[in-house]
């Protein structure tokens, strides 16, 4: 989905287990093994060493560019972003 962050329009995806087709940029993250579901905790999305970190179901991934992805909480997303 596209969201507005201040004056900037960026892409966002809420982390969830969903049967619907993923947005192209999210599918690319999975296909390139940049992110993957933690085999020990299926509520956690992990990132490769290049990006590091993790996200929980309900968090949002904010795509700011090819190598710039941020994880933010649902609470912060609702406070700082507008869905277009």
């Amino acid at each position: 989905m596209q969201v507005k962050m201040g004056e900037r329009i960026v892409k966002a995806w809420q982390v969830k287990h969903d049967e619907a087709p993923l947005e192209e940029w999210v599918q690319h993250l999975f296909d390139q093994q940049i992110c993957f579901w933690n085999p020990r905790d299926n509520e956690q999305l992990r990132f490769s060493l290049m990006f590091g970190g993790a996200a929980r179901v309900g968090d949002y991934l904010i795509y700011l560019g090819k190598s710039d992805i941020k994880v933010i909480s649902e609470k912060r997303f609702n406070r700082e972003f507008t869905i277009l």
Side-chain angles (χ1 to χ4, degrees):
M1 78 180 89
Q2 288 197 332
V3 298
K4 192 170 184 180
M5 178 179 80
E7 295 301 314
R8 188 172 175 190
I9 295 175
V10 297
K11 297 176 183 177
W13 176 65
Q14 187 172 28
V15 176
K16 59 186 172 184
H17 295 286
D18 195 353
E19 298 298 318
L22 296 172
E23 292 185 45
E24 186 177 316
W25 69 273
V26 177
Q27 187 63 55
H28 176 77
L29 296 177
F30 280 100
D31 291 346
Q32 297 300 311
Q33 298 178 343
I34 293 170
C35 68
F36 52 92
W37 292 107
N38 184 342
R40 295 185 179 165
D41 180 357
N42 70 351
E43 297 293 306
Q44 184 183 61
L45 187 67
R46 302 289 311 257
F47 294 92
S48 67
L49 292 177
M50 180 176 142
F51 289 92
R56 304 285 307 164
V57 168
D59 289 342
Y60 281 84
L61 300 186
I62 306 299
Y63 182 75
L64 300 168
K66 190 171 185 172
S67 62
D68 193 3
I69 301 165
K70 301 213 180 296
V71 176
I72 61 167
S73 69
E74 184 174 16
K75 183 177 178 180
R76 180 176 172 197
F77 179 85
N78 292 331
R79 189 175 59 239
E80 298 179 15
F81 293 80
T82 303
I83 298 173
L84 300 177

